Amino acid sequence: MLLSELNTGESAVITKVKGYGAFRKRLNEMGFIRGKVVKAVKNAPLNDPVEYSIMGYEVSLRRREAAFIEVVSIQEAEHIVGFSGSVEEAEEAFARHWETRDKHIHVAFVGNPNAGKTTLFNYMSGSKEHVGNYSGVTVGAKEAHFRFEGYDFKVVDLPGTYSLSAYSSEERFVREYIMNQAPDVVLNVVDASNLERNLYLSTQLIDMDVKGVIALNMYDELTRSGATFDYEALGKMIGMPMIPTVGSKGKGVKELLREVIEVYEGRSETVRHIHINYGNEVESGIVAVRGELNQEKDLISNVSPRFLALMLLEGDAEVMELVQRDAQRPELMRVVKEQTERLEATFHDKVESMITDAKYGFISGALKETFQESPVNRRRKTEYIDAIVTHKLFGFPIFLLFLFLTFYITFTVGGYPQEWIENGVNMLGEWISTTMADGPLKDLIVDGIIGGVGGVIVFLPNILILFLFISFMEDTGYMARAAFIMDKLMHKIGLHGKSFIPMIMGFGCNVPAIMSTRMLENRNDRILTILINPFMSCSARLPVYILLVGAFFKEYAALVLFGLYMIGIVVAIVMAKLFKRFLFHKEEAPFVMELPPYRMPTGRSVMIHMWDKGQQYLKKMGGIIMLASILIWALGYFPVNEEMGKEYELKRQAIERSYATMPSVSDTRIAGLLEAEKQGLLESLSREELEARQENSYIGRIGKTLEPIWMPLGLEWKAGVSILTGVAAKEIVVSTMAVLYQADEEVETGEISLGDRLKAHGYTPLIAFVFLLFVLLYSPCFATLIVIAKEIGVKWAFFVMGYTTILAWVLCFAVKQIVGIFL
């Protein structure tokens, strides 16, 4: 627990002191060190500050400061140590015990986009987070736990960011996490092949006075380029140890963890706090602002006053709001304004630019002493490739070719394992049908669970192949080029190339794609990008596409599949243009996006990403899709009409009797024909009964009630119910169809596919295409709607749900009527 949670009169033993360097040092000097017994004596009249007794004297701390001290109760500590005696003797025992017991280290990963931060995090923790070679992949903190050499590590992967200013949600999130969560060690992941830009973030960590270790990731690229780097000397200059790593291969990870332990324990000889010199004039401004901040203990309890002073002088909006949140502090704001005006009048420039220039000057000076660039242009390979793939004439066709190949291989190669899984599902259903007694339980398992879930799980190979290609294009850096290629087109619809990244991510899943719009600085750009993102065909729609495309457009499968994705993109562009004209008039932000060097991803990282998405798909099978299949089966099974059952049983008996009373025929051929005729009549009667039961069921009544909505599109009530259930999750469209379209289960050769069942129910290529188009365009799933509500508001979620469904109906009606004229 935290010291701030200790009740009056209670005692506890200190186990850890957190916070930035100077603040933590001040607490240590006051006696708050690990193993010491502290007692809450009394509270001030307004419950803050609190008086504590420690080492024989009383000291007062504000609750906000006490929250950075972790403790265990005296009873728990005595139980752990197995000792009770005088306070002095107990403290010695406690101190000895906590020196030898397992320790917990909280490590926060920070770094620029494309520095390999998440790759290193994955390798270190065994986590399976997605790694993308462009900005904005990590949109929230991801946490993992593991043990290493007697220490429990809690590692948190924070969003990739270039600085700790407040221009983007990622920057604000990272800064606030470091300030409020006070990690024991900040692990700054740096791209060793791009030191000057990456070390800018390191200078801000120096200003924050945090314990830090720098991972020189992708160090193999630096050595291959022929450059030389004395990283140990630079580490001593800036007070942060540097460890070379190759995150994708796990090289240097153990050494990095050992260095984190050394820094945590205070044993590292490299660690020291330095001040970056910003010049006499700026330094005098920092001193003036710090003088005022030192009077505001609440403000500097969890952040370095020097860092806070720099942010105030730079005019950081978030920090300005922070210092005035609970009080106006006119004197502090007067000093900030006075110093800012003085500096800008002296240098005729913004303070932010002066500080940025000074930081890069500091970095440049440090690198001149320790780093020697290779005469070989290390980006030559990247430039050669870019000359082709981003060419003004060839770039767009190459991008379309990559997409077409992705869908072609997804459909053709994935078709083989898909067929194997489908046969396995059918065999399982047949085995259960022959071994279980007839009844509702058998129907539930065969028709509900196996029919519903099995109808969707067959598309797992296609999902894996699709994510394999998407992962490869992301990790190599090609996705950033796709944004660059699409920049001109995106500008025409009022956005910029950066907005294309969430759209491409939408091919995988709309949920992370919408979350990734946080990389867009302008709120209107974010809202507009989110409004059109659902038109990107997520992987959940792929089972529906493959089912109908494979059944009705087999000869042109890849082309039709590619066309569906392109229709989604075209509709998104048109709607964005309309929204920009009527809803969002503000000019878009300029397109600024890094084009990272091409890197060949390791098979491990690509396979981790692919399998991670496959696992999510399988979890859906055992979760929402199974529950939905059971629910749909139940709605289709009940109410049980016993009178109807008796009526059809009498009809079956009549057929049996009519053939039993026929004279015996000696000709085996004629006898076989009569038997086949009888079985055909019985099967036809079974289909008729199943149709009648479905129409009489709860789901049939719902479907029939809503059928007038679907009839103008050429769709029957079963298709309408399937679309309706797809709002929960798009995969459920297929499982619903698998449950509902079971009227003609058997043919002579065995069980037939769902696609063939649809043909038997009157589906034509035109109706199949209308159905596909509706699934492409109508309301996104509940998960996506919830994320939209969280990101931009509930009203926008309802708007997306409404306008996409109306648009889907209108376009499908138009296609049905226009194409129908020519058929």
Side-chain angles (χ1 to χ4, degrees):
M1 66 177 176
L2 305 177
L3 182 59
S4 57
E5 299 169 350
L6 199 64
N7 295 323
T8 301
E10 291 182 345
S11 296
V13 179
I14 297 170
T15 59
K16 182 184 287 187
V17 179
K18 302 187 295 182
Y20 72 91
F23 172 71
R24 186 169 56 242
K25 184 179 179 183
R26 182 170 68 86
L27 289 176
N28 292 156
E29 290 170 348
M30 293 166 67
F32 291 93
I33 58 177
R34 188 166 56 195
K36 292 297 180 184
V37 176
V38 59
K39 180 179 181 181
V41 179
K42 61 184 178 184
N43 295 330
L46 295 178
N47 244 13
D48 203 13
V50 182
E51 183 179 311
Y52 296 99
S53 174
I54 188 168
M55 297 179 68
Y57 71 99
E58 279 67 41
V59 61
S60 148
L61 283 182
R62 294 187 179 274
R63 288 188 179 275
R64 190 171 179 178
E65 297 174 320
F68 285 89
I69 301 172
E70 293 183 2
V71 297
V72 294
S73 68
I74 197 74
Q75 295 81 8
E76 183 182 355
E78 289 177 350
H79 175 72
I80 293 171
V81 179
F83 177 88
S84 60
S86 67
V87 171
E88 291 78 10
E89 292 173 324
E91 285 181 341
E92 289 180 11
F94 294 149
R96 286 196 302 270
H97 173 77
W98 263 280
E99 283 298 322
T100 58
R101 72 173 295 191
D102 286 350
K103 294 159 189 168
H104 303 271
I105 307 180
H106 176 190
V107 180
F109 278 65
V110 301
N112 288 187
N114 307 308
K117 175 175 57 63
T118 305
T119 304
L120 192 62
F121 173 85
N122 287 341
Y123 199 97
M124 186 180 290
S125 64
S127 180
K128 298 184 175 93
E129 300 300 342
H130 172 206
V131 186
N133 199 15
Y134 56 82
S135 306
V137 169
T138 312
V139 293
K142 301 173 179 69
E143 185 177 310
H145 297 262
F146 62 90
R147 286 179 59 81
F148 179 77
E149 295 188 354
Y151 289 80
D152 286 324
F153 278 81
K154 170 188 173 183
V155 291
V156 180
D157 182 22
L158 298 176
T161 178
Y162 293 106
S163 76
L164 298 177
S165 303
Y167 293 118
S168 68
S169 54
E170 284 92 347
E171 292 173 343
R172 289 192 294 273
F173 184 88
V174 172
R175 187 171 72 187
E176 289 171 7
Y177 186 92
I178 295 174
M179 289 166 53
N180 299 328
Q181 301 301 318
D184 299 313
V185 178
V186 174
L187 185 55
N188 181 199
V189 182
V190 167
D191 179 356
S193 64
N194 201 341
L195 289 169
E196 188 167 8
R197 189 205 64 200
N198 278 244
L199 287 173
Y200 182 84
L201 180 59
S202 307
T203 63
Q204 291 183 309
L205 295 174
I206 291 170
D207 290 332
M208 291 188 81
D209 193 12
V210 297
K211 280 188 175 182
V213 176
I214 294 177
L216 295 169
N217 202 30
M218 295 178 279
Y219 199 76
D220 54 339
E221 292 188 13
L222 183 145
T223 54
R224 278 201 304 268
S225 72
T228 57
F229 182 33
D230 188 351
Y231 58 85
E232 292 181 350
L234 182 58
K236 290 176 181 177
M237 285 182 192
I238 66 175
M240 285 187 184
M242 293 181 161
I243 305 295
T245 62
V246 182
S248 60
K249 299 177 182 176
K251 292 183 179 179
V253 171
K254 290 184 179 179
E255 293 79 1
L256 182 62
L257 288 172
R258 291 188 183 112
E259 191 61 40
V260 168
I261 293 171
E262 291 296 300
V263 171
Y264 169 76
E265 295 289 5
R267 298 193 295 254
S268 174
E269 296 179 358
T270 304
V271 173
R272 64 191 181 98
H273 179 57
I274 67 166
H275 282 177
I276 297 170
N277 192 325
Y278 295 104
N280 293 336
E281 295 297 331
V282 175
E283 288 293 336
S284 65
I286 295 172
V287 170
V289 176
R290 280 193 63 174
E292 293 298 323
L293 287 173
N294 288 334
Q295 309 302 315
E296 306 287 350
K297 298 299 183 185
D298 281 351
L299 289 178
I300 60 174
S301 60
N302 63 339
V303 62
S304 161
R306 181 176 175 84
F307 179 75
L308 204 58
L310 283 164
M311 291 294 102
L312 287 169
L313 289 171
E314 289 183 11
D316 188 287
E318 292 283 325
V319 172
M320 289 288 189
E321 181 187 346
L322 171 68
V323 299
Q324 298 179 88
R325 189 171 296 165
D326 55 350
Q328 289 300 309
R329 298 186 169 91
E331 186 59 26
L332 171 62
M333 300 312 296
R334 183 192 65 77
V335 172
V336 170
K337 183 180 179 183
E338 181 182 280
Q339 293 300 319
T340 301
E341 290 176 348
R342 178 184 65 81
L343 289 169
E344 291 181 351
T346 303
F347 294 99
H348 304 289
D349 200 357
K350 293 287 185 184
V351 176
E352 183 180 14
S353 298
M354 301 176 211
I355 292 172
T356 300
D357 288 344
K359 285 182 184 295
Y360 276 114
F362 171 82
I363 295 168
S364 178
L367 289 177
K368 278 183 180 178
E369 295 187 38
T370 57
F371 179 75
Q372 186 173 352
E373 181 75 63
S374 166
V376 179
N377 182 0
R378 64 182 179 82
R379 288 184 65 96
R380 187 171 295 168
K381 178 180 68 175
T382 292
E383 290 168 0
Y384 287 156
I385 298 174
D386 274 347
I388 300 171
V389 301
T390 62
H391 191 274
K392 62 181 180 180
L393 294 179
F394 307 137
F396 195 70
I398 289 172
F399 172 61
L400 293 179
L401 177 62
F402 282 160
L403 286 183
F404 177 78
L405 286 175
T406 298
F407 303 136
Y408 179 78
I409 295 174
T410 296
F411 191 90
T412 53
V413 176
Y416 297 105
Q418 177 191 344
E419 185 178 348
W420 303 334
I421 296 174
E422 188 172 15
N423 292 336
V425 170
N426 290 339
M427 289 172 61
L428 177 62
E430 290 173 6
W431 178 75
I432 293 177
S433 295
T434 55
T435 54
M436 284 188 70
D438 291 340
L441 180 59
K442 174 184 173 181
D443 292 339
L444 168 63
I445 295 174
V446 175
D447 299 334
I449 297 176
I450 296 177
V453 177
V456 181
I457 201 171
V458 297
F459 302 106
L460 176 62
N462 308 92
I463 299 291
L464 292 176
I465 293 171
L466 177 65
F467 277 111
L468 178 69
F469 276 89
I470 291 177
S471 174
F472 183 79
M473 286 193 286
E474 287 173 350
D475 295 351
T476 55
Y478 181 72
M479 279 300 189
R481 272 71 186 180
F484 176 80
I485 293 165
M486 295 297 293
D487 181 45
K488 188 172 183 179
L489 179 60
M490 299 298 284
H491 268 290
K492 289 184 181 297
I493 64 174
L495 290 171
H496 50 70
K498 212 172 188 180
S499 297
F500 191 65
I501 293 299
M503 293 174 68
I504 288 293
M505 289 181 69
F507 288 153
C509 179
N510 293 135
V511 172
I514 287 169
M515 293 176 68
S516 72
T517 60
R518 296 172 187 174
M519 72 174 76
L520 303 173
E521 292 82 4
N522 183 282
R523 178 169 170 79
N524 282 349
D525 286 345
R526 282 197 68 204
I527 295 174
L528 181 52
T529 305
I530 288 172
L531 292 184
I532 64 175
N533 195 272
F535 295 125
M536 300 300 104
S537 290
C538 66
S539 60
R541 293 181 175 98
L542 192 59
V544 188
Y545 295 168
I546 292 174
L547 168 66
L548 293 173
V549 170
F552 294 92
F553 309 99
K554 197 165 188 178
E555 294 181 6
Y556 314 100
L559 192 61
V560 174
L561 193 61
F562 175 71
L564 286 169
Y565 281 77
M566 293 309 299
I567 289 171
I569 293 173
V570 170
V571 171
I573 290 171
V574 172
M575 293 309 300
K577 189 71 175 175
L578 293 174
F579 287 142
K580 190 68 177 179
R581 181 171 182 179
F582 295 108
L583 294 180
F584 308 104
H585 307 294
K586 190 174 179 182
E587 286 298 314
E588 69 276 6
F591 173 52
V592 179
M593 185 173 213
E594 177 193 7
L595 294 179
Y598 288 99
R599 295 188 176 98
M600 180 57 67
T602 62
R604 182 179 184 274
S605 67
V606 173
M607 296 302 291
I608 281 177
H609 178 203
M610 182 188 72
W611 178 239
D612 186 36
K613 295 302 179 184
Q615 280 185 315
Q616 293 177 23
Y617 189 72
L618 288 172
K619 286 176 183 176
K620 275 189 175 183
M621 299 300 104
I624 186 171
I625 292 174
M626 178 178 286
L627 292 174
S629 298
I630 293 172
L631 177 62
I632 293 160
W633 171 85
L635 290 173
Y637 190 84
F638 296 103
V640 176
N641 191 326
E642 294 182 0
E643 291 298 323
M644 183 185 295
K646 291 177 182 178
E647 178 184 336
Y648 277 96
E649 182 59 32
L650 289 173
K651 289 182 179 180
R652 270 190 292 272
Q653 291 174 5
I655 292 172
E656 292 282 358
R657 280 195 305 270
S658 66
Y659 280 89
T661 56
M662 286 183 179
S664 59
V665 180
S666 57
D667 190 333
T668 56
R669 185 179 65 83
I670 296 175
L673 290 173
L674 289 172
E675 179 65 23
E677 184 181 42
K678 182 184 78 169
Q679 292 301 321
L681 290 172
L682 289 172
E683 287 175 8
S684 177
L685 186 66
S686 296
R687 288 195 294 270
E688 182 183 326
E689 180 184 8
L690 183 54
E691 289 283 0
R693 287 187 180 279
Q694 284 186 340
E695 291 185 12
N696 185 61
S697 67
Y698 294 126
I699 201 167
R701 295 170 188 176
I702 295 170
K704 286 291 185 180
T705 302
L706 299 176
E707 193 170 30
I709 297 173
W710 313 110
M711 285 180 65
L713 309 182
L715 302 175
E716 61 173 343
W717 68 267
K718 293 180 182 180
V721 170
S722 301
I723 288 171
L724 192 63
T725 58
V727 178
K730 290 295 182 285
E731 298 97 333
I732 296 176
V733 172
V734 173
S735 62
T736 304
M737 296 177 84
V739 172
L740 293 180
Y741 289 102
Q742 298 197 43
D744 43 2
E745 282 284 333
E746 304 276 340
V747 293
E748 273 187 33
T749 56
E751 190 158 324
I752 61 174
S753 69
L754 178 55
D756 290 330
R757 294 183 222 168
L758 296 178
K759 291 179 182 178
H761 278 79
Y763 275 66
T764 64
L766 175 57
I767 293 175
F769 184 77
V770 168
F771 190 90
L772 286 168
L773 188 61
F774 200 97
V775 171
L776 164 66
L777 300 176
Y778 87 115
S779 171
C781 66
F782 282 152
T784 302
L785 292 170
I786 290 169
V787 170
I788 292 173
K790 287 182 179 179
E791 293 293 319
I792 56 176
V794 175
K795 66 176 183 179
W796 286 113
F798 280 109
F799 176 74
V800 169
M801 188 177 187
Y803 102 83
T804 54
T805 304
I806 293 170
L807 178 66
W809 194 95
V810 171
L811 289 181
C812 287
F813 179 77
V815 169
K816 173 69 168 60
Q817 300 306 314
I818 295 170
V819 177
I821 295 173
F822 300 99
L823 294 180

